[in-house]
Amino acid sequence: KNLFQLAIDGPAASGKSSTARIAAQRLKFEYIDSGAMYRVVTLAALRQNLSPLSLDDASKITYLAATSHIFLHTIFNPPPISHTSSSKPSLPQTLVYLNGEDVTHEIRSQEITKNISGIASNPDVRQVLVEKQRALANGIYDYEGENSSFKLDTLRKSPKGIVMDGRDVGTVVLPNADLKIFVTASARVRAIRRYKELQQQQSTIKKPLIDFNKVLEDLEKRDKSDYERKISPLKKADDAVLLDTSDMSVMEQADKIIELVLKRA
Ligand code: C5P
């Protein structure tokens, strides 16, 4: 293994994905969003009218996961994100493809989020995705899916390492990662972050008001299913560094993580 492996786990809206992206950009690491892969499989299953919660459909969904071409491609912004910049920096964005089709936005819908726990608790689907995640962590990209319009030269050139975020990266996917971080924040703080995100997303079109309590409730529901599922539950690895971000900005979180990486590298 020659790429530095940074594993970041934590509950929904803990700030891990924004932090991971900024850290990847500044460290010149590749970024791998493992949650996006569970989202893609959920989308693929729903499109085939397979039910994530039905035991009858479990093996069909596993087959679908194994045969779908999932491709993640993070666009890093050319201007470096600096503390002094007054305008809000834009985060690196991960484009997500299912069999060559851009599903970046579709996989973030509430419909997908609602159905994902059935997919995430399917052990065979997890095995398929964990294998794909390990390959990516070792720099092996399966970018040649059918219809894929990808060119290798758009990928990060010789990254110095990888950062993968998710729920079981430090415990299952990359148990030998060079650095593991477990990000937490109180449910209330996370719900406020998610609420603001949702508000921003719908600023242009007039849509019904978002109910904060509903956001909090959905988040707690997802926490519960992530923490309590039998297979690969959300759990801090024994050797992970705990980072409580309740009172930290995204930039402070990224600084902290970079400091830890530089100490280990
Ligand atoms: O990170 P994100 O919120 O997009 O992940 C969506 C869902 O995918 C999580 O709530 C979890 O159920 C599942 N997931 C997982 N293992 C991972 C990443 C995500 O089970 N490594």
Side-chain angles (χ1 to χ4, degrees), residues 34-35 38-39 108 116 120 126 166-168 222 226 229:
S34 70
Y38 289 91
R39 290 175 180 275
R108 304 286 160 195
I116 208 161
R126 294 202 74 88
R167 303 295 187 287
D168 64 338
R222 193 140 67 99
D226 282 345
R229 74 167 168 250

Side-chain angles (χ1 to χ4, degrees), residues 125-196:
V125 167
R126 294 202 74 88
Q127 200 181 333
V128 167
L129 293 187
V130 165
E131 265 164 42
K132 289 187 200 248
Q133 289 155 6
R134 286 184 183 145
L136 290 175
N138 287 299
I140 302 160
Y141 293 96
D142 174 19
Y143 51 86
E144 287 190 288
E146 293 162 59
N147 316 319
S148 176
S149 51
F150 263 107
K151 296 204 182 70
L152 233 188
D153 59 7
T154 63
L155 289 172
R156 201 148 188 60
K157 293 226 170 45
S158 27
K160 295 189 164 69
I162 63 100
V163 40
M164 188 186 301
D165 71 353
R167 303 295 187 287
D168 64 338
V169 181
T171 51
V172 175
V173 186
L174 305 174
N176 298 316
D178 298 281
L179 175 64
K180 301 175 185 178
I181 296 176
F182 192 84
V183 183
T184 55
S186 70
R188 198 166 181 82
V189 165
R190 289 185 289 115
I192 292 170
R193 289 177 186 159
R194 179 52 47 88
Y195 179 77
K196 285 187 182 156

